[in-house]
Amino acid sequence: GQQLNQSPQSMFIQEGEDVSMNCTSSSIFNTWLWYKQEPGEGPVLLIALYKAGELTSNGRLTAQFGITRKDSFLNISASIPSDVGIYFCAGETGANNLFFGTGTRLTVIP
Amino acid sequence: DAGVTQSPTHLIKTRGQQVTLRCSPKSGHDTVSWYQQALGQGPQFIFQYYEEEERQRGNFPDRFSGHQFPNYSSELNVNALLLGDSALYLCASSRVTGGSYNSPLHFGNGTRLTVT
């Protein structure tokens, strides 16, 4: 079955620093999504990518859909304390049938 | 405009029992998907309901079943509970945008199920 590996597993950064995380898969996906999850809440969609090579921004967040369709990365610029949480990548097979990565836990030190 | 709502928020059950979890989709959404999230892991797809029928299913045993009502709300039922069923159960909704395509998922805050 599909396996999505995210790296790094966790990050501790100073407020104001940029963050980069990525996701690789053993399978091809037609859609990549990035979600953020905070304690006690469900995942919240950050960015959706629909085309290989696509680069999309949402405020301080930028994500890219890899050319091979087997990888994606997410960058966060100028991190702030409210960026704390777990970031998940997800590849979509059937409609809304998502395979989630293992998550990257981000801690921002003020 | 209410988002996805789930009930109850927490539940404790004993091995062998049965449980029913409930979900109301976001206004305007017609498709409901259920995910299981074990501690420290990403969510795993259980199944999806559209037009009151199961449209897709992940790799979960038949002990996991569901239902969708005419008002688009949904239930997840788990029979013969095992200790390993302890997890956060997430409901997510979307709407069909054409053909086999759906809008991105909006997740609820989940039901935390503990099986003792």
Side-chain angles (χ1 to χ4, degrees):
Chain A
Q2 285 95 335
Q3 273 189 306
L4 266 65
N5 297 307
Q6 277 186 254
S7 63
Q9 285 188 330
S10 62
M11 304 179 75
F12 291 81
I13 61 166
Q14 291 289 137
E15 183 177 357
E17 287 184 350
D18 295 346
V19 173
S20 185
M21 60 188 78
N22 65 64
C23 189
T24 58
S25 167
S26 57
S27 303
I28 289 173
F29 290 106
N30 291 323
T31 301
W32 281 92
L33 305 105
W34 285 91
Y35 283 87
K36 177 188 177 187
Q37 187 173 26
E38 297 184 46
E41 298 183 7
V44 173
L45 180 66
L46 300 174
I47 291 181
L49 302 156
Y50 298 103
K51 224 191 290 189
E54 179 181 353
L55 184 73
T56 297
S57 293
N58 178 8
R60 294 178 296 108
L61 276 60
T62 301
Q64 184 157 31
F65 190 150
I67 288 291
T68 65
R69 294 197 284 156
K70 289 186 175 183
D71 63 318
S72 178
F73 73 74
L74 175 70
N75 288 338
I76 306 173
S77 63
S79 59
I80 59 178
S82 62
D83 289 334
V84 165
I86 303 177
Y87 290 79
F88 289 101
C89 63
E92 185 174 39
T93 56
N96 296 152
N97 183 344
L98 305 182
F99 281 86
F100 280 82
T102 47
T104 293
R105 184 180 295 274
L106 177 64
T107 302
V108 179
I109 303 164
Chain B
D1 177 22
V4 179
T5 58
Q6 292 186 244
S7 63
T9 55
H10 294 83
L11 202 51
I12 300 175
K13 289 284 188 178
T14 305
R15 265 182 306 177
Q17 285 188 316
Q18 178 264 344
V19 69
T20 298
L21 311 182
R22 296 177 176 83
C23 172
S24 291
K26 181 178 165 66
S27 177
H29 286 186
D30 53 18
T31 304
V32 173
S33 303
W34 287 91
Y35 283 77
Q36 180 196 65
Q37 186 175 23
L39 202 60
Q41 298 184 20
Q44 280 196 290
F45 177 70
I46 302 175
F47 45 51
Q48 179 184 87
Y49 278 83
Y50 172 66
E51 292 188 331
E52 303 178 47
E53 290 191 357
E54 185 181 288
R55 190 164 82 163
Q56 298 182 75
R57 189 179 182 92
N59 190 23
F60 278 80
D62 292 345
R63 296 186 298 109
F64 289 78
S65 63
H67 190 77
Q68 186 179 33
F69 299 93
N71 67 353
Y72 308 119
S73 67
S74 177
E75 288 181 349
L76 164 66
N77 300 295
V78 187
N79 293 325
L81 284 167
L82 304 174
L83 294 179
D85 294 331
S86 295
L88 181 68
Y89 287 85
L90 294 162
C91 172
S93 72
S94 63
R95 60 180 176 83
V96 171
T97 56
S100 60
Y101 295 97
N102 281 55
S103 62
L105 288 173
H106 286 254
F107 283 85
N109 289 333
T111 294
R112 172 74 61 190
L113 172 66
T114 302
V115 182
T116 63

